[in-house]
Amino acid sequence: MKNIKNLLIAFFVLISLSFYAQGKHFEEKKDKIKSLKIAFLTTELNLNPDEAAKFWPIYNAFEDNQFELRRQKMKSFLKKEDNNLNKLTDKEASALLAKMESNEDEMRQLQKKLITNLKGVISPVKIIKLKKAEEDFNKKLLQQFRDKKRN
């Protein structure tokens, strides 16, 4: 399970980077994926209008923060990669690892904050369903990406 999660994170980072490099095309793809995700999560969670009105601002803020953290993580990693990772000193590698760990801690804190904020908006059962729906959406997106690459 953790392996799949890491694979998905890597996938989204790669997708984010390719979209980032493509400028306007990136925004269009990002918006399309976001629209598909909104529709998928709304259906899976069966949100009523009151829940949806409170849920989406919280969830969208979480997604924006998560995206920014991933972008920062890749930015510092790519900066080092441009200088060739094989030339890293132990001190530089330790600093990069510390940065990566800090980023992962921030991601976990974002997850905890999301759950805390959602507890007053949707039921605990729907929060669990959200986690499952996110995984299902990511698997579906990854499968579509793989299928598209094969064709």
Side-chain angles (χ1 to χ4, degrees), residues 61-72:
F62 163 76
E63 288 273 293
D64 291 344
N65 290 333
Q66 190 176 46
F67 179 81
E68 184 60 28
L69 279 174
R70 284 188 180 125
R71 190 184 67 75
Q72 289 172 5

Side-chain angles (χ1 to χ4, degrees), residues 1-13:
M1 181 70 140
K2 191 171 186 173
N3 211 8
I4 290 173
K5 188 175 181 179
N6 289 338
L7 179 64
L8 289 173
I9 289 171
F11 168 73
F12 280 112
V13 167

Side-chain angles (χ1 to χ4, degrees), residues 14-144:
L14 290 173
I15 293 296
S16 297
L17 287 175
S18 68
F19 287 157
Y20 183 73
Q22 295 173 7
K24 186 178 179 183
H25 186 65
F26 162 72
E27 288 301 321
E28 292 169 1
K29 290 285 188 183
K30 183 179 171 188
D31 289 344
K32 183 177 179 181
I33 290 171
K34 189 172 185 172
S35 296
L36 291 170
K37 188 171 188 178
I38 288 170
F40 187 82
L41 294 179
T42 300
T43 301
E44 293 296 307
L45 296 177
N46 195 23
L47 297 174
N48 66 43
D50 185 49
E51 288 173 328
K54 294 175 185 173
F55 172 83
W56 287 112
I58 293 168
Y59 189 79
N60 288 336
F62 163 76
E63 288 273 293
D64 291 344
N65 290 333
Q66 190 176 46
F67 179 81
E68 184 60 28
L69 279 174
R70 284 188 180 125
R71 190 184 67 75
Q72 289 172 5
K73 180 180 180 179
M74 285 309 299
K75 191 176 178 180
S76 60
F77 183 75
L78 289 175
K79 192 184 301 180
K80 293 296 181 194
E81 192 173 284
D82 289 344
N83 296 329
N84 193 343
L85 292 175
N86 293 326
K87 295 180 183 178
L88 277 178
T89 65
D90 283 345
K91 186 176 180 179
E92 291 171 328
S94 292
L96 183 57
L97 281 173
K99 221 178 206 182
M100 292 168 76
E101 288 173 349
S102 173
N103 187 279
E104 291 299 320
D105 289 342
E106 287 181 59
M107 292 288 256
R108 280 190 284 285
Q109 290 303 318
L110 273 178
Q111 284 283 339
K112 286 181 180 181
K113 183 178 178 184
L114 173 67
I115 291 168
T116 300
N117 291 342
L118 289 178
K119 282 183 180 175
V121 174
I122 59 176
S123 72
V125 171
K126 285 188 178 182
I127 293 173
I128 299 297
K129 286 182 179 181
L130 170 64
K131 296 300 173 193
K132 170 104 172 70
E134 286 176 319
E135 286 181 22
D136 291 348
F137 180 80
N138 291 340
K139 286 177 190 175
K140 186 177 177 182
L141 189 64
L142 184 57
Q143 188 60 49
Q144 287 178 354

